[in-house]
């Protein structure tokens, strides 16, 4: 039976690229040039799927969880293939090395926070949200930002990513970290002229 390399649309609406239909994609390639191409494709696929599904965490063990939140990408039952944990660990290491993910918690290499938006992009999303919801020049807790009463693009954003976004805003004088009674907070400042 021959396999046709073609995109495939998942029930969620996410379109798997045609390379996902090729059995070699799921095998760690011995040739450095082939391995780089495959790793770059895995990286793009993982980040685009994470963005589509609003997933922030990827673990090497996700390769071994049938029916898990990553199963649609990390396996292809139509060709009876799945990525193995060591191969996924190599992809994750590449993502960390290229600033597309960060090990979280630090000092381990099996779980990462994914940067499907860079901290700078999250900073802009955060500032635009604060501005559009009337939160400039007010103090908000980190909890209020990631668990808002009305869902927002920041809902469920992991705190390490939120902290990095706030640090970007603080560097450009658009935010100030404030100690509040129940943890950390931030005051969003009106952007200086020229920003």
């Amino acid at each position: 039976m021959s396999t046709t390399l073609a995109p495939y649309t998942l029930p969620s609406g996410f379109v798997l690229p045609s390379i996902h239909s090729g059995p070699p994609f799921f095998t760690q390639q011995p040739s450095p040039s082939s391995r780089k191409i495959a790793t770059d494709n895995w990286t793009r696929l993982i980040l685009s799927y994470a963005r589509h599904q609003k997933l922030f965490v990827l673990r090497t063990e996700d390769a071994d969880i049938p029916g898990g939140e990553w199963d649609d990408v990390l396996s292809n039952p139509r060709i009876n293939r799945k990525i193995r944990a060591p191969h996924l660990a190599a992809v994750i290491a590449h993502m960390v090395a290229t600033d597309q993910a960060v090990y979280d918690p630090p000092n381990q290499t099996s779980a990462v926070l994914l940067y499907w938006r860079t901290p700078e992009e999250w900073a802009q999303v955060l500032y635009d949200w604060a501005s559009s919801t009337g939160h400039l020049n007010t103090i908000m807790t980190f909890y209020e930002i990631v668990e808002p009463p009305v869902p927002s693009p920041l809902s469920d954003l992991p705190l390490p990513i939120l902290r990095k976004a706030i640090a970007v805003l603080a560097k450009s004088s658009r935010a100030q970290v404030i100690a509040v009674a129940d943890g950390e907070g931030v005051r969003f400042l009106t952007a200086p002229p020229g920003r």
Side-chain angles (χ1 to χ4, degrees):
M1 171 174 108
S2 69
T3 303
T4 304
L5 291 180
Y8 181 81
T9 304
L10 295 170
S12 68
F14 183 78
V15 178
L16 292 168
S18 56
I19 195 170
H20 195 264
S21 299
F25 186 55
F26 292 87
T27 305
Q28 208 163 0
Q29 298 300 306
S31 153
S33 59
S34 296
R35 187 169 46 248
K36 181 182 179 344
I37 291 167
T39 300
D40 289 345
N41 277 298
W42 270 113
T43 298
R44 276 193 297 281
L45 175 58
I46 286 167
L47 291 175
S48 60
Y49 183 75
R51 185 178 191 130
H52 183 268
Q53 296 293 97
K54 208 166 180 200
L55 299 173
F56 292 100
V57 176
L58 177 63
R59 297 172 186 88
T60 54
E61 68 234 30
D62 288 325
D64 298 320
I65 302 174
E69 62 190 3
W70 285 99
D71 197 40
D72 283 341
V73 167
L74 301 180
S75 69
N76 186 337
R78 295 175 309 286
I79 58 171
N80 196 28
R81 291 286 191 271
K82 71 176 196 162
I83 192 170
R84 302 279 181 223
H87 185 184
L88 182 57
V91 172
I92 286 172
H94 169 78
M95 294 173 77
V96 170
T98 55
D99 294 326
Q100 296 175 86
V102 63
Y103 289 118
D104 187 69
N107 304 320
Q108 54 80 42
T109 57
S110 63
V112 290
L113 284 176
L114 299 168
Y115 289 159
W116 42 268
R117 280 191 176 125
T118 65
E120 293 74 20
E121 290 169 332
W122 278 116
Q124 193 57 54
V125 169
L126 176 58
Y127 193 80
D128 291 347
W129 172 81
S131 184
S132 69
T133 56
H135 288 101
L136 291 184
N137 300 311
T138 62
I139 297 173
M140 297 191 71
T141 65
F142 287 9
Y143 176 81
E144 289 172 312
I145 296 168
V146 300
E147 297 291 335
V150 175
S152 83
L154 303 160
S155 295
D156 302 320
L157 184 67
L159 289 180
I161 295 176
L162 177 63
R163 284 188 189 95
K164 285 182 186 254
I166 289 170
V168 169
L169 293 177
K171 263 197 218 174
S172 61
S173 303
R174 294 183 288 165
Q176 177 183 23
V177 176
I178 307 283
V180 293
D182 53 352
E184 299 170 288
V186 62
R187 180 191 324 244
F188 297 102
L189 308 169
T190 304
R195 290 256 176 219

